[in-house]
């Protein structure tokens, strides 16, 4: 079973699981600021669950590519929408700070720095 590592936690999950669901079900914070209550609930339209991945995951689908091609995102960055990503193997997730879309710096936990 693949291991998903994010914010200092590692969990095992089944192949093909939705990354957003894995993170939320394991109480791993995915959203910044108001996005915790105002997000698209996993349909791929808001872009607030964008994370950087070192991973074996499904290819980006059209929703993921379309949303990340809009401002404040950049389709050339190594980011993916967690809600549109399936876990295929081990995954390391880096969340970014920033007002809404996680467009800032990596969070302290993900960079290995101590708060």
């Amino acid at each position: 079973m693949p291991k998903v590592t994010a914010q200092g936690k590692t969990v095992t999950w089944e192949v093909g699981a939705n990354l957003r669901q894995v993170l939320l079900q394991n109480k791993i914070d995915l959203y910044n600021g108001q996005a915790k209550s105002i997000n698209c609930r996993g349909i791929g339209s808001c872009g607030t669950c964008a994370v950087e991945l070192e991973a074996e995951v499904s290819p980006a689908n059209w929703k993921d590519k379309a949303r990340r091609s809009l401002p404040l995102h950049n389709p050339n960055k190594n980011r993916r929408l967690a809600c549109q990503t399936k876990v295929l193997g081990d995954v390391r997730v880096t969340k970014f700070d920033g007002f809404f879309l996680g467009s800032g710096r990596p969070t302290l936990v993900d960079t290995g720095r101590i708060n």
Side-chain angles (χ1 to χ4, degrees):
M1 292 181 43
K3 293 177 185 169
V4 177
T5 302
Q7 298 178 3
K9 292 184 182 179
T10 299
V11 297
T12 56
W13 217 257
E14 59 193 52
V15 172
N18 177 277
L19 183 58
R20 176 184 181 270
Q21 292 174 358
V22 170
L23 296 173
L24 294 179
Q25 287 176 11
N26 287 283
K27 298 182 179 14
I28 297 172
D29 192 22
L30 179 59
Y31 297 105
N32 296 332
Q34 295 296 324
K36 291 177 184 179
S37 56
I38 303 170
N39 63 70
C40 70
R41 305 290 184 244
I43 63 171
S45 62
C46 72
T48 59
C49 66
V51 292
E52 186 174 280
L53 302 174
E54 294 174 35
E56 187 178 340
V57 295
S58 60
N61 64 21
W62 70 270
K63 287 182 181 182
D64 190 324
K65 290 177 184 177
R67 181 57 191 98
R68 288 184 301 109
S69 70
L70 300 171
L72 300 167
H73 288 290
N74 179 339
N76 297 321
K77 286 187 178 179
N78 184 27
R79 307 255 170 104
R80 293 288 300 278
L81 300 184
C83 71
Q84 299 299 307
T85 302
K86 293 188 186 303
V87 175
L88 301 180
D90 291 347
V91 180
R92 177 171 165 68
V93 178
T94 301
K95 178 183 167 190
F96 291 79
D97 66 9
F99 171 65
F100 200 71
L101 297 176
S103 56
R105 301 170 311 217
T107 60
L108 294 178
V109 172
D110 290 327
T111 61
R113 288 182 274 164
I114 298 174
N115 293 335

